[in-house]
Amino acid sequence: MTIPLKLHVGGMDCAACATKIENAMKRLPGVTDISVSYGQELLSVTLDEDRTSRAVIEGKIRALGYTPAGSDVARTPANDAQAATAPWWRSPRGRLVIGTAALLAVAYIVSHIEPSWATWAYVAATAIGLVPIGRRAIVAALSGTPFSIEMLMSVAALGAVAIGQAPEAALVIFLFSVGELLEGLASGRARAGIRALMDLVPRTARRLRGSEVETVPVEALQIGDVVLVRPGDRVPSDGDVIDGTSGVDEAPVTGESVAVLKEPGSTVYAGSIGIDGELQVKISRTTADNTIARIIHAVEEAQATKAPVARFIETFSQWYTPAAMAISLLVIVGPPLLFGADWFTWIYRGLAVLLIACPCALVISTPAAVASGLANGARRGLLMKGGAALETLSKVKTVAFDKTGTLTRGKPQITDIVCLAGDENDMLAMAAAVERGSSHPLGLAIVAEAERRGLDIPRAFGGSSVTPGKAVTARLKAGFVSVGSPRHAAGKSALTPDQADRVAALEQAGKTVVVVLQGAQALGMIALRDEPRPDARAGLEKLRSLGVRSVMLTGDNARTATSIGSLLGLDVRAELLPDAKLAAIAAYRAKGPIAMIGDGINDAPALAAASVGIAMGGGTDVALETADVALMKERIEGVAALISLSRATMSNIWQNIALALGLKAIFLVTTLVGSTPLWMAILADTGATVLVTANALRLLRYGNRRSD
C-alpha cells in the first residue's frame, strides 16, 4: 500500500545534511517523491509499505546520525517550544562533546602519570570518539554520499594515528564534535523566527456558549464559534467582530505599529492583541488555516525553495569535495615521489589539507542567510515566497505600480467643496440626503464626509431617482435637489462662465466634479479624487534613495493618472489595456529585473509577467497566495524595505562565501609551509561554519535600529 509519510528529523543543520538523507532514501525500494528540508527539519516521501516499512526509514535516519522525531503530526507551538528549550547536553551531539572531552582528559592524565602509556591512551580516546563518526561515514558512503564530512574526518584521524600523531587525532575528534554542536545551536537560532511566529497564537481561547464562558484549546475552535477577546488577550484565530469596540495591535501579524480600531463588521487576525476594549469575535478560520498558520507555511516553503546562488553553491560543493580529496592525495605523494621529500612531513600536511577542505562552511553560507532574511521579512509583514524572489529583488532597478488601491486608497475622497449659495454644511447635508442609499463610490464618499462632520442629514421623500450619466435627484423639505455632472448643470444654464472655469480647473487637476442643484440654482460644487496613500510619497522617495526607478502603469485616464503622478513624482503610463500593460512590463524586463506592485486580483497577469510580483493586501487570501511577495502591512514603504532587506541578504551571502573560502585559502597556505597543526586545520572548517552562521543570524536583527 502506498501512503504519504512525513517525518520531523532532528539534527539537520545544512544542505549537506539534507543531501545525505535524500541520497539514502533514493536507495530504498518503494520510496518516491522524496523532499528534504533542513530548514523545516522535515522529510516527505511517498512510501510503498509492502517494499519498505517506516521502521526501516527511521533506522536509516538514525544510522546517519539524525533523529526522527515523529510522523504525520502537525507542528504546534507546544512541541516546537519543547524541542527548542531542550538543554544542549541532552542532545546526541552534546553527549558526544562531553564524551570526547572526557576521553581526551583521561588520555592527558594517563600521559602524565605513565608516559609510556601516553600513545595508547590517545589512540584509545581517538578510537572510541571516532566510532559514532566513522559509523555515520560508512552508512553515508553506502547510502550514496561517499564524500561526507564524517568520511573526511575519519580518514584524517586514522591517518594521524598511523603516522604517530594520536594526541592530535584525539584533539581533532573533540574539536569536530564541538564544531558540530555549535552548528546545531546556531541553526536552532535561525529557526527561532518560525517558532516566534507560532508563539503568537495563544494556547487557549475563551469561547462563549450562551452566557457562559469556557476556556478551550485553540485547536478545538470551529468556524462559527464566538470567542471573547479582552484587553491584553491575543486573538486566537481569524474572525469577524460581532460585538464591542477596541483598538487592536496588529504589529505581530502585519508589522503595523499603530493600533487599528475594530468594531462590529471588522476583521481581526490570529495573533493580534486587544488593547482597550472587549470584543466578541466570530471565528472564520480554524487554527490550522488562520493567517499565522498560512504565513508559517509560506515561510517554510520559501526556506525549502533554493535561491539560484544556493543551487550553484550546492552543485559546486559536489565537485569541490572530491577535488579537495584528490589535492590532499597529491600533497601527500607528490613531494616525496618527485623530490624525495620526507614522507611523514607531507602525509601530515596532506591530512591537514583534507581537514581544511571540508565544505560545511561553504554549503551553509547561502541557505543560512536566506533563512534569516525570510524570517526577518515575515516578522515585519514582508512575506517572500522563496530564495529566488529574495535574490531577484536585490537586482531590481525598476518598480512598476498599479494606481487604484496600490498608490491610491482605492476609494474617492472629497478634496474641495465650493459653496456658491448658502452655507457649506447645509449644501453638503442636502447632497448626502440625495446620495444616501447609493452604492456609487462618489455618493458613498459624500455621505461619509457628511457623517464625519456630524451633520444632520435631511430625509428624502420617496427616495432618489437616477438619470444615468447625468444626476441623482431627490425631493427634500427644501424642494427638489440634484447631484449631477457639470454637463447636466450646464444644460440647465445653472453655471456662470466663472463657475464653469472653476469646474474646468478642478477637472484639469484630475478631480471628478459634481454640482449640487436646488431646482435650477447651483448651490455648490464638490470635487473628489482617489487620493494617494499617506505613505506613498515617502515610500517612493525611499525607492529613489536606493537608486530604483518608479513608474505607474494604469488603465485609468491620462488626466487623472498624470495628476496623481505629478503629486508623487513618478513616471506615468496611462490608458493601458491589459495587453498593453503586459507589453510595457516585458519592455522594462528586457532592460533588467522589474517588480510589479498590485492588489493581487485584477493585476494577476501583470504580477505574473514581472520578474517579481508583489501583492498588496493585509492577510487576505490573495496577498498570501498570489505573486511572489505579499506586503501584509499595506504600505508603499514596504517595497523599499523589501529591496533593502534583499540587498542586505545578498551582501551577507557574499560575505559568507568570502569568509568560508578566504579562511580555507589562508589555512591552505600555512599548511603547505608547515605552520598549521591538525587541530588548527579543523578550525578552518568548523570555525568558519560557526562564523558564517553567526554572520547570517545578524540578518534577524536587520532593520531594528535603522530606517530601511
Side-chain angles (χ1 to χ4, degrees):
M1 182 176 66
T2 301
I3 61 168
L5 176 66
K6 289 186 178 181
L7 287 174
H8 295 297
V9 181
M12 288 195 289
D13 299 329
C14 66
C17 301
T19 300
K20 281 190 285 189
I21 294 175
E22 184 176 352
N23 289 341
M25 295 300 106
K26 288 178 180 177
R27 298 205 168 195
L28 295 177
V31 180
T32 56
D33 301 327
I34 302 163
S35 175
V36 185
S37 169
Y38 85 89
Q40 302 176 55
E41 295 186 299
L42 184 66
L43 165 66
S44 301
V45 300
T46 299
L47 176 64
D48 184 347
E49 292 186 301
D50 295 329
R51 302 177 67 188
T52 298
S53 68
R54 196 180 83 178
V56 170
I57 289 179
E58 292 181 350
K60 181 67 72 172
I61 292 171
R62 288 191 183 93
L64 288 169
Y66 305 102
T67 307
S71 62
D72 300 320
V73 179
R75 290 172 63 186
T76 66
N79 61 39
D80 250 44
Q82 184 179 2
T85 55
W88 65 267
W89 58 84
R90 291 185 181 176
S91 67
R93 290 179 176 178
R95 290 194 294 268
L96 182 59
V97 167
I98 294 171
T100 53
L103 290 169
L104 191 61
V106 169
Y108 178 78
I109 293 171
V110 168
S111 69
H112 282 71
I113 295 175
E114 185 55 59
S116 61
W117 292 0
T119 298
W120 293 109
Y122 283 112
V123 168
T126 301
I128 296 172
L130 192 58
V131 167
I133 299 171
R135 183 170 60 242
R136 284 154 49 191
I138 293 171
V139 172
L142 295 176
S143 302
T145 311
F147 300 112
S148 64
I149 186 172
E150 289 86 358
M151 181 62 74
L152 299 185
M153 203 58 50
S154 299
V155 171
L158 292 174
V161 170
I163 62 173
Q165 296 297 313
E168 289 208 52
L171 185 57
V172 163
I173 295 297
F174 169 68
L175 290 175
F176 173 70
S177 304
V178 171
E180 279 203 316
L181 176 64
L182 292 176
E183 290 171 24
L185 294 175
S187 296
R189 285 284 306 279
R191 296 185 184 103
I194 296 298
R195 287 196 296 272
L197 286 174
M198 299 183 76
D199 288 340
L200 292 178
V201 180
R203 310 287 174 81
T204 60
R206 296 171 60 83
R207 183 168 62 186
L208 290 174
R209 284 284 190 258
S211 60
E212 299 293 324
V213 179
E214 58 180 358
T215 300
V216 298
V218 291
E219 292 81 9
L221 293 178
Q222 301 294 322
I223 294 174
D225 283 349
V226 177
V227 298
L228 189 66
V229 179
R230 301 167 302 178
D233 287 352
R234 287 188 183 272
V235 178
S237 195
D238 295 3
D240 301 308
V241 177
I242 60 173
D243 188 49
T245 301
S246 176
V248 172
D249 178 7
E250 294 185 338
V253 183
T254 67
E256 174 60 67
S257 59
V258 179
V260 181
L261 180 66
K262 300 293 183 179
E263 51 193 2
S266 300
T267 298
V268 291
Y269 305 119
S272 52
I273 306 168
I275 296 178
D276 51 10
E278 192 171 84
L279 299 175
Q280 291 185 19
V281 177
K282 186 176 183 180
I283 298 299
S284 60
R285 289 185 183 273
T286 62
T287 304
D289 191 39
N290 63 35
T291 299
I292 294 295
R294 287 180 289 149
I295 290 174
I296 291 170
H297 180 67
V299 174
E300 289 181 334
E301 283 192 335
Q303 290 182 344
T305 304
K306 297 181 178 68
V309 67
R311 290 194 294 268
F312 169 76
I313 292 295
E314 282 190 28
T315 302
F316 174 74
S317 67
Q318 291 174 2
W319 292 96
Y320 166 87
T321 306
M325 293 190 75
I327 292 172
S328 176
L329 181 61
L330 289 176
V331 170
I332 291 172
V333 303
L337 292 179
L338 296 177
F339 308 108
D342 177 60
W343 278 98
F344 174 88
T345 299
W346 288 99
I347 291 175
Y348 185 91
R349 293 179 183 179
L351 294 175
V353 169
L354 194 63
L355 293 176
I356 291 168
C358 293
C360 280
L362 183 62
V363 171
I364 204 173
S365 59
T366 298
V370 169
S372 295
L374 293 172
N376 178 302
R379 190 188 70 240
R380 298 161 62 196
L382 312 172
L383 189 61
M384 292 166 278
K385 297 188 176 180
L390 184 64
E391 183 173 339
T392 303
L393 277 167
S394 69
K395 305 172 185 175
V396 162
K397 296 299 182 185
T398 304
V399 175
F401 290 90
D402 177 50
K403 180 181 79 69
T404 305
T406 302
L407 286 171
T408 64
R409 299 174 184 268
K411 297 179 181 179
Q413 308 286 322
I414 292 178
T415 59
D416 302 86
I417 298 178
V418 180
C419 188
L420 302 176
D423 179 75
E424 177 182 299
N425 283 339
D426 289 343
M427 182 268 291
L428 180 61
M430 284 191 283
V434 173
E435 293 286 3
R436 178 180 278 174
S438 170
S439 60
H440 193 283
L442 299 182
L444 293 174
I446 290 171
V447 173
E449 177 63 18
E451 291 177 343
R452 187 188 69 80
R453 295 189 181 193
L455 302 182
D456 183 15
I457 301 175
R459 185 168 63 90
F461 299 96
S464 301
S465 62
V466 179
T467 305
K470 293 185 177 180
V472 180
T473 304
R475 182 175 171 233
L476 308 181
K477 188 176 181 180
F480 285 95
V481 176
S482 299
V483 178
S485 66
R487 184 176 299 176
H488 172 72
K492 291 182 173 290
S493 301
L495 297 177
T496 66
D498 288 343
Q499 293 168 350
D501 291 342
R502 184 70 181 273
V503 169
L506 290 170
E507 290 182 333
Q508 190 62 35
K511 301 174 183 179
T512 300
V513 180
V514 296
V515 180
V516 182
L517 301 172
Q518 185 176 10
Q521 179 188 8
L523 300 179
M525 295 177 284
I526 301 174
L528 305 97
R529 182 170 62 189
D530 185 8
E531 290 292 274
R533 291 176 179 269
D535 70 304
R537 183 185 294 274
L540 293 172
E541 184 58 41
K542 288 184 178 181
L543 284 173
R544 280 190 285 272
S545 70
L546 293 173
V548 177
R549 177 190 180 192
S550 299
V551 60
M552 180 198 298
L553 303 180
T554 180
D556 209 344
N557 68 78
R559 184 182 63 198
T560 301
T562 301
S563 174
I564 296 293
S566 62
L567 280 175
L568 298 178
L570 79 167
D571 297 337
V572 174
R573 298 186 62 177
E575 300 181 359
L576 296 176
L577 296 175
D579 288 348
K581 185 179 285 190
L582 292 177
I585 291 174
Y588 283 117
R589 188 169 183 174
K591 301 176 183 177
I594 178 173
M596 173 69 194
I597 323 295
D599 63 11
I601 304 173
N602 55 359
D603 294 311
L607 294 173
S611 307
V612 180
I614 303 176
M616 298 278 285
T620 64
D621 287 337
V622 169
L624 290 171
E625 295 170 11
T626 64
D628 305 296
V629 181
L631 298 181
M632 305 297 292
K633 180 176 14 178
E634 296 185 77
R635 291 191 174 184
I636 301 300
E637 292 170 327
V639 182
L642 272 172
I643 293 176
S644 179
L645 176 60
S646 67
R647 290 181 179 179
T649 302
M650 293 308 299
S651 175
N652 190 283
I653 286 172
W654 291 115
Q655 290 170 13
N656 287 346
I657 293 173
L659 186 61
L661 294 179
L663 278 176
K664 290 182 184 298
I666 292 170
F667 275 91
L668 179 61
V669 172
T670 59
T671 296
L672 293 178
V673 299
S675 301
T676 304
L678 289 181
W679 67 267
M680 189 177 290
I682 188 63
L683 294 179
D685 183 68
T686 56
T689 301
V690 172
L691 288 175
V692 160
T693 307
N695 188 46
L697 290 176
R698 292 191 307 115
L699 287 169
L700 293 174
R701 300 189 302 274
Y702 183 79
N704 285 1
R705 299 192 185 122
R706 51 166 288 187
S707 169
D708 293 321

